[in-house]
Amino acid sequence: MATTAASKPPLVQKLRGLTGEVVKFGIVGLSGVVINFAVFWVCINGLGLASLRSNIAATVIAIATNYLGYRYWLYRDRDAASRKREITLFLVFSGIGMLIETGVLAFTVYVLHLDSHYEQLGAKVIGLAVATVFRFVSYRTWVFTALPEPEPVAVAAVASTADAAHAADGQELAAQAELMLVTEQIRYAKAE
């Protein structure tokens, strides 16, 4: 799809949009971090589970709550035509993020032998920071994809339709409107 220089937003506008997205991602992520650390702390202290099991349980619960925040708040305006694809990719990339986080924790506990609860929390912070960068890039790039931009042909068709509407009688205008609706339905059917 070709875009004209006039249709491209300026760099400053793109950065403002990205800044807002990063802030919202951080808010949803921070709520997930609070849930993650709370569940982790309860699992290792209250339930006496091993640190890796506690981390996996905490991360799975945080992933579930984060999906709701991302889908219904942060990326609500993104293409949701294929929820199966979206959820599958979300779980795959979240799983990779969990492996990054758990790997850092495992390295800290089993290689460095730093196994106090506070040392484990420190390892979780480092692992979570690395996994968060990975998740942000993968979610915005592959999971919650942007809605497709209208194609220039469709824009030209709308402009020519508007010109023709001035010269056409009521029946021609209705036929052109029907054609535009059918074209839009076909385009959205292809997106699904």
Side-chain angles (χ1 to χ4, degrees):
M1 177 178 76
T3 55
T4 63
S7 67
K8 288 185 180 180
L11 180 61
V12 174
Q13 189 177 10
K14 284 182 180 180
L15 289 176
R16 279 191 196 127
L18 184 61
T19 302
E21 184 178 343
V22 168
V23 168
K24 287 180 177 180
F25 187 90
I27 291 169
V28 172
L30 185 60
S31 69
V33 167
V34 169
I35 291 167
N36 191 329
F37 278 90
V39 172
F40 179 76
W41 193 254
V42 168
C43 287
I44 62 172
N45 287 315
L47 302 176
L49 295 177
S51 60
L52 296 184
R53 287 183 182 151
S54 298
N55 186 64
I56 291 170
T59 304
V60 166
I61 292 169
I63 286 170
T65 59
N66 283 357
Y67 177 78
L68 297 174
Y70 294 137
R71 171 74 269 160
Y72 297 107
W73 184 53
L74 175 58
Y75 296 119
R76 69 180 174 268
D77 61 337
R78 297 287 178 99
D79 187 13
S82 176
R83 287 286 165 97
K84 279 169 69 172
R85 175 196 159 279
E86 177 183 286
I87 290 172
T88 301
L89 287 175
F90 182 83
L91 292 175
V92 166
F93 289 122
S94 294
I96 293 170
M98 182 173 64
L99 288 175
I100 293 169
E101 185 180 335
T102 304
V104 170
L105 181 61
F107 180 79
T108 302
V109 171
Y110 297 111
V111 176
L112 300 178
H113 302 290
L114 301 173
D115 55 3
S116 79
H117 292 194
Y118 293 107
E119 292 166 335
Q120 291 174 16
L121 282 176
K124 258 187 91 55
V125 168
I126 294 168
L128 192 61
V130 174
T132 297
V133 171
F134 168 78
R135 287 178 180 131
F136 176 75
V137 171
S138 59
Y139 292 167
R140 83 178 307 272
T141 305
W142 295 292
V143 179
F144 300 105
T145 56
L147 289 171
E149 293 181 27
E151 297 190 22
V153 174
V155 173
V158 169
S160 66
T161 302
D163 292 340
H166 293 293
D169 63 351
Q171 290 178 346
E172 288 177 17
L173 182 60
Q176 289 174 352
E178 282 183 30
L179 180 62
M180 287 176 55
L181 287 173
V182 169
T183 304
E184 288 296 314
Q185 289 172 350
I186 291 171
R187 191 177 78 150
Y188 284 117
K190 286 181 182 177
E192 292 176 350

